[in-house]
Amino acid sequence: MTGILPQLPFEILTIVFGHLDERHLLQCQLVSKLWYEGSVKYLYSRPTITTSKKSRLYVRTIKNSSRLGAYLIEPDTDTIFRGKHDKGIWNDFDSIEALIQHCPNIISFSCNKKDKTFWTQLRYAASQSRLSRLQYLTHPCNTDMATYISAALLFKNSFTKLEIDGGIYPFGRDLKKLKVYQTLQDQIGEFKKLNYISMSYSSNNQLSDFDLLIDNCSQLETLLFKLEPTENQNTMIAPEKNIYACPELVSLECYWEAINNASQLRYILTKFPNLSSLVVSLSRSEVKITDCPPLDLARFLYHTITKIPTFNLLLEFERQDLPYIWSELLNVRKGYQDLFIGYSVNSLVWDKVRLQIDNTFIAICFFLHHGDQVEFPHLEFFTKEGNSIRSLEIRDLTEPLHILDREHHLWYDTDSFEWVFKIVQLCSSLEKLVLSAPRTKLFNANTILTNKNVTELLVIDVETFNPANLLLQETSRHLPSLKNVDLFYSFNSEKNFTITITMQDSYLDMLTWTDDSCDPDASLLFEVYVRLKTDVNMLYCRIDKDSMSKISKEEYFDRPSESLCFNITCRNLKTFKIGSKSSLLSHTLTFLNFSD
């Protein structure tokens, strides 16, 4: 290796140095002049100072060498000066002042301290035309908005990112009354390079309330608008003036509560015609927000799906509007025939649904509550729109049962998963079913609810498999056309562990068992034995890393104590595949073909 490294091009050496820590970089400094030149940049661009002595040495070094100080680009002062005695490092040796004075290429400061000295030094540096490349400052603390904005105004020529972050402090509509904010609005057009604005605090302001601020930012490309409402909103707030397009803005992220009415959705569609990325999420607030009319919501979704290349929307609206919204989504994109559904408990919004949609998938969360509800909230939706769904994943299967058991409000027999197969029956065109996180419950269904179109089944996140085998038995009864079954299972490394897979009514082309545990290769450390019972015969096999061999019944029952055993029952099985989610080992996939 010592003969190869000196021959490497300088560009490759610098890439290698970029992955080394401080101790190894110091060693590289002593090898040669070439290595010194390649490693010095990384050594001085990300220093870590833990003692007052190191602080003195670092300050003295950058004072004596302007070249070394120029390597520091983005200092995190809370990380650089993280000794046990912050006061000694922070004040006694004027470390921050040294950075400001001798590191001219700094483009951002990360400083969470509430020390006023830092902000005083920043203002002084601006008056002396230092830090002329400064682009970004983190907010000093949750409530000191005036200090941050005042500092930002001093670096208007270089600032590219502005954060108006109040934390949990409720500025409300009083933000516009702050004198420094008025100054910011008046001078925002003087920020020559400002392309990113983040607004995050508690307020009932809506997006259109900041129309003037947006209009004055001629270079604005990204807007992060996350205002959490502080009180119920029962009226729509319409923009007060004509809307002028902001074609420069290409990325918008906001809370649904801030745009959840017809006027705000129209504002987005008109104001930002060139969006390439849109992210809408829900705030932590639990205040009641007026719902957007379904027609306007459908129009907004249509525009998002057809015009915006990248989007991720998390919305909440009336459950009664779901069938209409779903049908409109299908009219826009047939790919949304793949659906994820889940359940959550929230008595405040029990009459709503939560919809998440992005470029590739759509998910619906139905809310359950502890009142006098007599049927699952999803029934109305699947009754109307189930025939349009081709692929369905049901998440957290036992969540509804836990709620029912806890509150003793019975929709169905709580030891039954009949409701799952009722959904499947309502989805007459369903081809693929995914059941996520089944737990140790009885899965007996009282009646047969058949769907002959489903050919593919995935069961994922199985904690205790043998009780879940009851689910496979019931699935085999209700879905007689199953051909491919995939089981993802967290392996339990008990000795002589037997996994029972009973699908007594199924003719399977492929059965796949995947070890999905934290130690994905644990199951493959054991000898694997298979007992297959079909309509035709009984077959016993042994699998090792490289091969599969048929064995006798006696050999099967005399297997070693440390072994993994599969006990499979079905009408017929062509191929059985076992492995793990790890793809590092070549023996993680083993195929058995029982058709021979």
Side-chain angles (χ1 to χ4, degrees), residues 440-486:
T440 54
K441 274 279 185 181
L442 295 179
F443 293 88
N444 295 326
N446 298 325
T447 58
I448 300 297
L449 302 169
T450 303
N451 186 320
K452 295 184 179 181
N453 287 323
V454 180
T455 60
E456 186 173 355
L457 171 69
L458 275 74
V459 184
I460 61 178
D461 191 18
V462 182
E463 287 186 347
T464 307
F465 192 82
N466 286 335
N469 183 52
L470 296 173
L471 171 63
L472 296 180
Q473 294 181 36
E474 292 302 314
T475 303
S476 182
R477 292 172 59 206
H478 294 280
L479 308 177
S481 301
L482 278 177
K483 295 298 182 183
N484 299 303
V485 177
D486 294 306

Side-chain angles (χ1 to χ4, degrees), residues 7 48 222 276 284 342 473 484 492 534:
Q7 302 175 20
T48 299
T222 301
S276 60
R284 297 167 294 178
Q473 294 181 36
N484 299 303
N492 186 343
T534 67

Side-chain angles (χ1 to χ4, degrees), residues 12 39 90 107 114 141 148 268 428 439 441 526 531 541:
I12 296 179
S39 60
W90 186 262
I107 63 173
K114 300 179 181 180
C141 60
Y148 172 79
I268 291 177
S428 57
R439 299 295 183 254
K441 274 279 185 181
F526 296 86
R531 172 184 177 271
C541 298

Side-chain angles (χ1 to χ4, degrees), residues 389-407:
I389 299 171
R390 300 292 183 270
S391 174
L392 175 65
E393 177 174 336
I394 305 177
R395 299 174 175 175
D396 299 325
L397 277 173
T398 53
E399 179 65 21
L401 301 188
H402 289 163
I403 299 166
L404 297 179
D405 287 348
R406 186 168 59 247
E407 297 298 326

Side-chain angles (χ1 to χ4, degrees), residues 39 98 103 122 166 388 498 502 516:
S39 60
C103 301
L122 274 182
S388 65
T498 300
T502 303
D516 199 29

Side-chain angles (χ1 to χ4, degrees), residues 407-591:
E407 297 298 326
H408 307 291
H409 295 290
L410 304 182
W411 292 314
Y412 298 100
D413 178 4
T414 56
D415 287 333
S416 170
F417 267 69
E418 182 174 315
W419 63 274
V420 173
F421 300 112
K422 188 170 182 62
I423 291 177
V424 175
Q425 187 184 48
L426 292 172
C427 300
S428 57
S429 301
L430 191 67
E431 299 172 357
K432 178 179 178 181
L433 176 64
V434 182
L435 302 178
S436 174
R439 299 295 183 254
T440 54
K441 274 279 185 181
L442 295 179
F443 293 88
N444 295 326
N446 298 325
T447 58
I448 300 297
L449 302 169
T450 303
N451 186 320
K452 295 184 179 181
N453 287 323
V454 180
T455 60
E456 186 173 355
L457 171 69
L458 275 74
V459 184
I460 61 178
D461 191 18
V462 182
E463 287 186 347
T464 307
F465 192 82
N466 286 335
N469 183 52
L470 296 173
L471 171 63
L472 296 180
Q473 294 181 36
E474 292 302 314
T475 303
S476 182
R477 292 172 59 206
H478 294 280
L479 308 177
S481 301
L482 278 177
K483 295 298 182 183
N484 299 303
V485 177
D486 294 306
L487 308 173
F488 292 83
Y489 168 55
S490 296
F491 178 70
N492 186 343
S493 58
E494 296 177 4
K495 295 181 179 180
N496 199 17
F497 191 73
T498 300
I499 296 173
T500 301
I501 303 174
T502 303
M503 305 197 72
Q504 70 286 347
D505 296 314
S506 300
Y507 294 84
L508 299 178
D509 291 337
M510 172 73 78
L511 174 62
T512 303
W513 181 89
T514 302
D515 181 2
D516 199 29
S517 59
C518 296
D519 184 6
D521 296 318
S523 59
L524 302 178
L525 300 177
F526 296 86
E527 283 191 312
V528 179
Y529 290 80
V530 178
R531 172 184 177 271
L532 173 64
K533 180 181 179 181
T534 67
D535 289 350
V536 179
N537 59 11
M538 183 84 73
L539 185 65
Y540 300 95
C541 298
R542 179 177 61 241
I543 308 172
D544 57 28
K545 296 180 180 180
D546 302 317
S547 63
M548 177 275 293
S549 59
K550 296 181 180 179
I551 60 176
S552 65
K553 179 179 179 181
E554 291 73 19
E555 289 178 295
Y556 173 81
F557 285 105
D558 290 339
R559 61 185 181 274
S561 58
E562 294 188 1
S563 61
L564 175 62
C565 177
F566 291 91
N567 186 2
I568 304 172
T569 302
C570 59
R571 301 296 299 271
N572 188 44
L573 176 62
K574 292 183 179 180
T575 304
F576 178 46
K577 174 182 174 182
I578 67 171
S580 76
K581 64 182 179 181
S582 171
S583 60
L584 299 179
L585 302 176
S586 60
H587 64 275
T588 55
L589 299 180
T590 304
F591 290 86

